[in-house]
Amino acid sequence: KDGRFVLGLMHKNYKDLFINTFLFQLFGVNGLYILNLISFVFTLILIYKLGKYFDLENRFINLSVLLYVFGMTASNYNFVFHELTFAIFWITISLYFLFLFFETNKNIHLVLFTFLGAISLFFRFEFIFILFAAGLSLVFYKRKNIFSVILFSILGLVVPFFFLLFLNLKIHNHPL
C-alpha cells in the first residue's frame, strides 16, 4: 500500500508508471494476471495476422497458433505472474511492423519496429538478439538507403533506451 513493492512490481518513485499497479488496485491479486492474459491473446492474433501476411495456408497458420499455445511455456505463464508473455507480445508486434516496413517502405513502420522492440527489452533483455538479427535483415534489404534506415532505427530506440537507463539508475543506482 505504501508503494514500495507489490510482488516486486514497482518502486516507490514509479508506482504510477506501471499498468499492473492500476490493475492490482482495481482487482487485487487477480488483476496481476489480466495483463498476461491480454498479451497472450493479442500475440495469438498477431501470429494469425503474420500468417495471413505471408499468405500461408490456414492449416499452417492454425499449426503456428497451436504451437504457440501448447508448444511454448508462454501459456503456462498465464497462471503465474511472469513477464514473458508480455515481452513476447511486444517483440511480435515489433516484428509485425518490420514486415510492414519491408512492404510499404514507410519510415513510421521502421520507427515503430525499433520503438516497440526496445520496449520488449524492458521485460526480457535477451530479446536484443532478435532485434539485432532483424536489424541485420534491414541492412541486407535496404543497402541503397542504409543511412535513412539507421537514422529512423535510432529514432525509435532513443526514447525507450534512455528511459530504461533512467529507471535502472534510479532503482539500482547504476544505469545497466
Side-chain angles (χ1 to χ4, degrees):
K1 289 185 177 182
D2 61 359
R4 281 182 284 163
F5 284 99
V6 175
L7 297 177
L9 295 178
M10 61 183 175
H11 189 269
K12 62 182 176 180
N13 297 328
Y14 306 104
K15 65 181 180 179
D16 297 327
L17 295 177
F18 292 93
I19 296 170
N20 277 330
T21 304
F22 174 73
L23 294 172
F24 178 78
Q25 290 173 348
L26 279 179
F27 303 108
V29 173
N30 293 330
L32 298 176
Y33 303 103
I34 292 173
L35 192 58
N36 279 3
L37 182 61
I38 291 170
S39 300
F40 185 73
V41 170
F42 280 137
T43 303
L44 291 174
I45 293 168
L46 281 169
I47 291 171
Y48 179 81
K49 286 183 70 84
L50 284 169
K52 287 295 187 185
Y53 174 82
F54 289 113
D55 292 327
L56 297 177
E57 295 177 24
N58 278 337
R59 62 185 173 142
F60 292 119
I61 296 172
N62 293 338
L63 178 64
S64 300
V65 170
L66 285 173
L67 284 174
Y68 180 71
V69 171
F70 298 112
M72 288 188 60
T73 58
S75 58
N76 295 336
Y77 287 122
N78 288 321
F79 302 110
V80 296
F81 183 73
H82 199 272
E83 79 281 352
L84 180 66
T85 311
F86 197 54
I88 290 174
F89 166 72
W90 288 112
I91 197 71
T92 306
I93 198 166
S94 169
L95 293 174
Y96 179 74
F97 280 110
L98 174 67
F99 298 132
L100 284 180
F101 173 72
F102 286 150
E103 182 179 317
T104 63
N105 286 323
K106 291 183 180 177
N107 291 329
I108 187 66
H109 293 143
L110 183 59
V111 171
L112 287 171
F113 157 66
T114 55
F115 181 79
L116 297 171
I119 289 176
S120 75
L121 298 179
F122 278 61
F123 306 101
R124 299 298 285 211
F125 195 69
E126 63 268 19
F127 283 178
I128 197 164
F129 297 112
I130 296 171
L131 290 176
F132 181 72
L136 283 178
S137 71
L138 284 170
V139 171
F140 292 115
Y141 177 73
K142 300 293 267 178
R143 289 183 188 167
K144 294 179 183 174
N145 299 332
I146 194 67
F147 179 74
S148 66
V149 166
I150 291 171
L151 177 69
F152 285 103
S153 296
I154 290 173
L155 282 175
L157 284 172
V158 166
V159 172
F161 181 73
F162 283 111
F163 187 66
L164 176 63
L165 291 179
F166 171 74
L167 288 178
N168 279 342
L169 181 67
K170 290 296 185 180
I171 293 171
H172 304 294
N173 292 325
H174 192 277
L176 299 174

